Structures are given as structure tokens and as C-alpha cells.
Amino acid sequence: MDVSLTLIVVMAVLFAAGVYAMLERSLTRVLIGFMLLGNATNLLLLIVMGVPGNAPFFGYSDLSDPLPQALTLTAIVITFAVTAFLLALIYRSWQLGQADTVEDDEADIALRERTDADEDVMDDEDETGGDDATTDFVDVRTAPITVLQMRDHPSIHDDAPVDRAWSPDASTGSASGSTTSDDEEEDRP
């Protein structure tokens, strides 16, 4: 496999510049960095493809691998979609604040100024909380899943056998035990 050193160097420079640009606070620079990363990924897939060959349906010698070509096409589409999203995000940020930089809000500043003592106090508060409820759905009325019985809805016909406790009187139908028929079973609430 003959790989061009120039393509490897260009790919490495694009990756480095893209990562550096994405670490900025300006959304426009993040967009440019993401586009550089997308192009570097396309070059990486071009390098992985190796030497070009014939199309698979022309013959059996020196065939090209179609998988990197499909991955490159997919990478182009994903890069285009995320670029369109970032452009919309930049436009909305410009409309709201006349700037495309991401600023810290009060919660970020408070989190940054927190000390180790504050962390210990917060950990202690978490440990004292009661763990009575193991689920968010505490009551039967608020449960997301309702189990229907065959008598709850007229369109449900449940003909499956029902497990019952075995007793010697019920199995033989002797005088001391009474057996219930299917009709009596359906009449129960």
C-alpha cells in the first residue's frame, strides 16, 4: 500500500487546527474547527482507502474498496448537517445577544468558586437523605404501566391456564373442599 506522506501531513495539520479552533468560546470558530475536523476525517478515509483501483463490476484485478467511499459520503453528510445546525445556533445567538461568544452564567461561576469544604458539605447532605422510594412512581395511580386483568376489559380473552395452590381436597373434589367452575371464576370481581 503506497500512502502519500503529503496527505498524512495535511490530515494531521487539519486535525490539530480543528481541535484548536473548537476549544475557543466563539461559536464561529467552533464552526470552522468542526469543518476542519470533517475535512480531516475525509482525508483520513481517503488515506485508508489505499491505491485507487477499478470498479468492482469491471473485472477482478486491482479492485477498489467501496467501504471507505461509502464512509466518506456519510461523513460529508454528517458534517453538512452539523454545520447547518451550528449556523442556525450562531444566527440565533447573534439575534439574542449581538455576539457569538459563549459566556459563563451564574451557575458556572458558582460552581467554579466552590471549595473542597463546600463539596464535603454537599456530600454529607446527599448521604442524610432518605431512600424510602426506590422509584419515581410511588403510587399505583401514577404508574406508567397499567396491568389489565381479563375481567377489566371486555375485549381481552385470556384463555391461559391459571396457577392455583394445590390442595388434596380440591384435586379430588371431595366433600370437604369445593371446586369452582370457570363460570364462577369469571363472576368474581
Side-chain angles (χ1 to χ4, degrees):
M1 185 166 134
D2 188 24
V3 178
S4 173
L5 184 63
T6 306
L7 284 178
I8 294 175
V9 170
V10 169
M11 180 200 64
V13 168
L14 283 176
F15 268 121
V19 168
Y20 179 75
M22 285 187 75
L23 294 176
E24 296 291 326
R25 284 191 169 273
S26 172
L27 290 177
T28 305
R29 291 184 183 178
V30 170
L31 173 68
I32 291 170
F34 184 77
M35 291 174 65
L36 289 174
L37 281 177
N39 288 327
T41 304
N42 293 339
L43 275 179
L44 173 69
L45 291 171
L46 185 70
I47 291 169
V48 168
M49 190 176 354
V51 292
N54 294 329
F57 51 83
F58 278 133
Y60 294 103
S61 64
D62 296 332
L63 298 179
S64 64
D65 189 10
L67 182 63
Q69 297 171 13
L71 290 175
T72 303
L73 182 62
T74 305
I76 290 170
V77 170
I78 291 171
T79 302
F80 177 75
V82 175
T83 300
F85 173 72
L86 283 173
L87 280 172
L89 194 65
I90 291 168
Y91 178 70
R92 184 65 178 160
S93 175
W94 183 261
Q95 275 185 337
L96 293 177
Q98 297 297 319
D100 69 340
T101 57
V102 178
E103 299 294 332
D104 286 336
D105 58 355
E106 293 84 19
D108 288 336
I109 294 171
L111 187 65
R112 190 180 314 128
E113 292 174 352
R114 205 164 45 185
T115 62
D116 290 336
D118 295 334
E119 290 288 332
D120 292 337
V121 169
M122 291 182 70
D123 289 339
D124 292 339
E125 288 175 3
D126 288 341
E127 292 172 1
T128 60
D131 292 333
D132 296 337
T134 58
T135 180
D136 292 337
F137 306 107
V138 182
D139 194 7
V140 175
R141 292 171 290 167
T142 60
I145 298 174
T146 303
V147 178
L148 295 177
Q149 301 296 328
M150 65 182 193
R151 288 168 218 86
D152 293 341
H153 201 275
S155 65
I156 297 177
H157 300 289
D158 188 10
D159 297 335
V162 178
D163 292 335
R164 293 190 181 96
W166 181 82
S167 67
D169 297 334
S171 65
T172 59
S174 65
S176 66
S178 65
T179 59
T180 58
S181 66
D182 289 337
D183 295 332
E184 292 175 7
E185 184 81 15
E186 289 179 9
D187 293 337
R188 288 187 186 167

